[in-house]
Amino acid sequence: MPPYSTKHGRDEHMDAITQQLRAAQKPITRCLWTEADAITFTPSVLEQTFGDGLALFAVTTINNRPAYWIVRGCSTWSAGDGYRAPDDAPEFGDMFDEVLTALEDEFGSTSCYERNRNGIWIDQETKKFIPQDWAEYPTVNDECGCSWWRLDWPDLEGVTFAPHPFAKYRILAAINNGGR
C-alpha cells in the first residue's frame, strides 16, 4: 500500500494509539466569532486511520464549527501548510471525500434530513419534523462545506514522536513490526 493511500489496515498497535489519543482528549472551549458564542466540547477522534496514520489533522464543517474531529492521516499529506512539501505530496483535500465518509459512518450524518420550504428540517424517509438539537456534534452536518488543518500530537505514554518532514508539527515515530 503506498504511503499516501487512504484506508489503513487495522492492527492492535494502531488501535492502541488511537485509544490513547481518545483518552487524552479533554473538554475545550472555543468560539467561532466572539466569546459570547463559545461552546465547550471534547474533540472526537475518528477510529479509522488513513495512509501511515502518523500525522494528525482536524476537520470541521461550517455547520459544526467551532467543534472539530481529529483524524489520523498520512504523514506525506500536505494540508496547504507544507511550504517545504515535495511538489508531488498528496493534498489532504484530495482525500477528503473518504475522510468525510468515515466521519459520517462513525458519528452519523444529517444527509438523511432535508429542509422544507419554511427552513424546517424533516426526515426524508418519514417526512416528520426533526427537533432543533437533531444534529449536535459529533453528528456530521456537511451541508455548507468543510475545512481542515494540521494538529500536533499530545504527549502519550510510551509513544515516541519525530519531527514532521515538512511541517512544524510532530508525527508518530515510524512503527515497525508492531513495535513502538
Side-chain angles (χ1 to χ4, degrees):
M1 175 184 306
Y4 54 85
S5 66
T6 54
K7 195 168 186 178
H8 187 281
R10 304 271 314 256
D11 65 51
E12 289 181 24
H13 180 71
M14 294 302 252
D15 287 347
I17 291 173
T18 298
Q19 291 305 317
Q20 276 192 285
L21 180 59
R22 283 182 169 176
Q25 299 309 306
K26 305 294 180 224
I28 60 173
T29 300
R30 289 185 50 153
C31 64
L32 181 58
W33 303 110
T34 67
E35 294 299 319
D37 66 22
I39 64 167
T40 300
F41 70 100
T42 302
S44 294
V45 178
L46 182 65
E47 183 175 350
Q48 182 176 328
T49 61
F50 297 86
D52 61 19
L54 301 178
L56 286 186
F57 296 89
V59 174
T60 191
T61 67
I62 297 297
N63 293 329
N64 289 109
R65 63 188 177 164
Y68 60 87
W69 299 267
I70 298 174
V71 176
R72 289 184 55 197
C74 194
S75 61
T76 65
W77 291 357
S78 176
D81 61 351
Y83 64 93
R84 297 182 316 199
D87 290 339
D88 62 346
E91 282 288 330
F92 184 92
D94 293 339
M95 315 303 174
F96 188 73
D97 286 344
E98 291 181 57
V99 172
L100 183 62
T101 297
L103 287 167
E104 290 174 334
D105 287 348
E106 184 167 340
F107 299 109
S109 170
T110 62
S111 63
C112 60
Y113 304 121
E114 63 185 29
R115 286 184 196 252
N116 67 14
R117 66 177 174 249
N118 297 321
I120 298 172
W121 289 97
I122 57 173
D123 185 297
Q124 289 177 355
E125 189 174 308
T126 66
K127 302 299 182 193
K128 291 185 178 181
F129 171 75
I130 307 300
Q132 276 303 104
D133 61 354
W134 60 273
E136 288 188 15
Y137 174 84
T139 302
V140 179
N141 181 339
D142 68 338
E143 178 187 3
C144 295
C146 306
S147 63
W148 53 85
W149 61 94
R150 196 178 298 280
L151 288 175
D152 204 3
W153 281 86
D155 291 328
L156 301 175
E157 186 176 328
V159 179
T160 57
F161 301 94
H164 194 285
F166 55 79
K168 66 179 181 176
Y169 300 96
R170 301 183 303 171
I171 59 172
L172 285 174
I175 300 171
N176 297 317
N177 301 325
R180 291 184 192 183

